[in-house]
Amino acid sequence: IDDQTLTVLPTPGTPGWMSPEQVGSTPTHGDWRSDQFVLGAIGYRLLTGVAPFYAPNIMDCWVAPAVQSPRSIRAIDPELPNAVADVVERMIRKQPHRRYLQVSELIADLKRAATALEDAGPAAESNTGFFVNIGFTKNWAENDFLSVLRPTGTVIDMQAGGRTAEFADAARAASSLVIADPATQFARSPLEFRPAGYKKLAYGEGPTLTGFADDAARTGWCQTVWDAACADNPDIAIAPYFYAGEGELSWVRESLACARVFSDFATAAEDPPIVWTGILIHANWLANDVARDQLLTELTGQPMNVLHVLVHTSQPSFGPLSDADVLRGFRDLFEVMRDAGVTVVVGKRASSGLLLLALGSDGWSSGVTANLMNGAPHPEATTDGTRALDRVYVPKLLNLITLSTFALMRQANHPELVELGTHEAKQLLASNPDLDSLTTAERVLLLQHNLVAQKTQVEELSAMPAGQRISVVREWVRDATVSYRALPPTRVASEGPTFLTAWEAALS
């Protein structure tokens, strides 16, 4: 398990693998119940693929069993039988008197667990999805890049209008699912996050909200959205959804009501698309325990097959999610919805999707513009948006960094970081090795690299059991932490390493 045994600690042993009574405030040498704890911890690791206790440094790792509570085994791998999870979780309870107190009872439960494992059969194959959100950006349908990327699905914004058919054909040519996004959130979003067409208000009027007077009004409005969504025969139609700010439960309920209407339409149609329930929520719906419980109560109160989640945060676009409370909220959301039998796909999350896959999501999308990556305008963009493609994804940093910082990395001779490893990046660096004064075509190449590099990591994670993904992302986080230490100071907050602390906390 680990060869890092230390003899200088209060109780000599392997950090992270000793019982709480051996590493608590008044450590003891323990007894047979301590041995039971260690055997249970090893069983946890072998069954889930992830260590039960984790910390980035040795001393924190040593004390972790006394202060951390491992995730439930079935939260990591729901395919494991209850009899297996129950016996191991009892063996690793913090208080010795809560573990097995009779060896005969422990042996009997272990035998039952072994039988349950034999009867369980092979685990289900992973079906993790990587989706690309092209919105209504025309150049992504005008070349063959989708066939190179081969995403699980291509999300097309219905604002594309007459071009949606062209976009859908390009997606099908790449063997990608066609996903129609109604983009109804813009009718109920802060004005600064709306496209220009949604900002034009009649003189003296405020923004138009989208509440409905009654069920008939909602159904009539949804019918127009459904007809537009089905015009190009998509494989999937995301139901109308609206931005729910802090405490605005009515807008969550409105999104769910529209999903019910879409499901009714699908039931009555001959060859309908699959309906995804959509929600767009402020991050505090996940970060706050009370708000999250409200949200989960609503989400589990009606049947659905797939939940498409968009989360608005105040952080800049491109930057990975860096709020540990939000990330823990995501983890809770995934676990509850999995118990409800619902697949969860997280939209517009840039490189944070890699962490979310480890925490339990079934898929995530990244986008081809800033507001399709993290759901907010590019904070550095000019009025025409031409600076929205000025970052490069560095897999070993798990982040998109500015081209100026990438140039400093090249000057500082960090070959393990500047070798980006995709055909698109090699083509770009060959034509513009300094990445100065990018043309539109070079910006597209840069973003193509970003998507291919992220999908490569998704494929690596998708081939692993759920628990092993956690271990691998922990390794990526540790490697990224070391890599950042060797770099020149970052110039933009969103390209710095602060998010790694939050990721470590979420993976604990």
Side-chain angles (χ1 to χ4, degrees), residues 280-297:
L280 169 59
I281 54 175
H282 189 279
N284 279 352
W285 280 105
L286 294 177
N288 181 281
D289 291 344
V290 174
R292 186 167 67 254
D293 283 343
Q294 279 186 313
L295 175 67
L296 293 175
T297 296

Side-chain angles (χ1 to χ4, degrees), residues 50 104 109 145 164 204 209 235 246 295 303 310 335 349 409 486:
V50 61
S104 59
D109 277 1
F145 176 67
T164 55
L209 305 185
D235 300 290
E246 294 183 66
L295 175 67
L310 297 172
E335 291 178 7
R349 274 279 59 108
M409 288 163 50

Side-chain angles (χ1 to χ4, degrees), residues 306-361:
V306 179
L307 176 66
H308 184 251
V309 181
L310 297 172
V311 176
H312 167 61
T313 70
S314 57
Q315 71 177 64
S317 295
F318 292 111
L321 285 168
S322 56
D323 186 316
D325 290 333
V326 173
L327 294 172
R328 290 192 187 98
F330 264 117
R331 191 171 73 182
D332 191 20
L333 171 73
F334 300 147
E335 291 178 7
V336 169
M337 299 312 293
R338 183 163 56 194
D339 285 345
V342 177
T343 296
V344 179
V345 176
V346 182
K348 301 182 181 179
R349 274 279 59 108
S351 63
S352 300
L354 294 167
L355 173 66
L356 299 179
L357 288 180
L359 295 182
S361 74

